[in-house]
Each structure stands twice: as structure tokens, then as C-alpha cells.
Amino acid sequence: MPLLEILTYPDPFLKQTVKAVTTIDDKIQKIIEDMADTMYDAPGVGLAAIQAGINKRIIVFDPEADPEKRGFQVFINPEIVESRGEMVSEKEGCLSVPDFRANVKRSAFVRAEGLDRHGNPLKIETDGLLSVILQHEIDHLNGILFIDRISALKRQLYKKKRKKALKNA
Ligand code: NI
């Protein structure tokens, strides 16, 4: 399975609202497998197709840290339909935002609805880490990075740091 190339900030592709999946065919299954391989290789706990330059509302995720127990989940066209409470997601990071972590204010509980990889309705109600992962990945589908949810000052500092790193690369 080929690994996909992960786009990084400030790639403008990451800033768009991506399109819904209308047909779940073999091509979509292949994208899902490649996304999962890419996520585990990175390694990360979630990946949105847009991060690999694919304009489709697909996310894969796996909060399991133990490689023996891992198994990824797929969410197609996911939407957050209910969110409650507040929590601080500590040192959140993103494969598209290299060398940076920050605390992010998130909802404590979310209910998300969409489709599984076979096109069946999928509903997930969750809190804790999985809730944060879903909020983070669904943000990606709407062109939002976690650095859009931190203070302007912290965001500016990261932008400067990133610019410098890219210049010296
Ligand atoms: Ni991310």
C-alpha cells in the first residue's frame, strides 16, 4: 500500500470545505486503506482525506495506543449533530501542523452522524479523547486547523516559527 503525502500548513488546500462522498466504490475503499496506512505510519490517531490532498469528506481514526489492539474506524460525511460541555484538549497536535502542540478548548461530549465504509448509517456518541479526535478531524473537512482555535498571539508565534523552518529547509 502506498503511503499518501501529508500536506502541511500553510498549504492552501487545507483551508477549503471539502465535498461530500456521493458514491462509495472501490476507489473510495482504496483511499480508506491508504489513509489508514498513512495514519499508522505517521504515526497519528486520526487523518482526514483533505490532509492527503483528497477533496472528500472521509476521516479515519484509531485512539488505541497499543499496536496489538489497534483497528481503525472510518467515518464518511461525518457531521457533529450535538455537542455539550467544555474541556481542554491538552497539547493537541496535527500531522499537518509540524512541530507544534497547544491546548485547545473543545466540547466535552459530541454526537456525530455519517456513514461507515459500507454506506450504512453510523452514529457515534463519545467524550474524552475520541470526542477530541472527531472534533479535530471534522474541523479538517471544513478547512479548520487546530491553530485556528487557539489565541491569535499563539497562532502568530507558530506562523513565524513555521515560516522560518520552511526557509531553512
Ligand atoms: Ni489534524
Side-chain angles (χ1 to χ4, degrees), residues 51 93-96 136-137 140:
Q51 292 180 272
C94 176
L95 297 174
S96 294
H136 179 115
E137 300 308 330
H140 273 302

Side-chain angles (χ1 to χ4, degrees), residues 12 30 34 36 48 63 80 87-88 109-110 155 157 167:
K30 170 90 169 74
D34 290 347
I80 290 178
M87 67 175 284
V88 175
F109 165 93
V110 295
R155 188 165 51 249
L157 286 173
K167 222 168 102 185

Side-chain angles (χ1 to χ4, degrees), residues 114-141:
L115 302 172
D116 69 12
R117 66 184 298 178
H118 306 294
N120 302 312
L122 178 63
K123 197 193 309 186
I124 300 180
E125 293 184 349
T126 185
D127 54 13
L129 176 60
L130 184 54
S131 163
V132 169
I133 293 173
L134 289 179
Q135 291 171 71
H136 179 115
E137 300 308 330
I138 293 172
D139 266 356
H140 273 302
L141 303 181

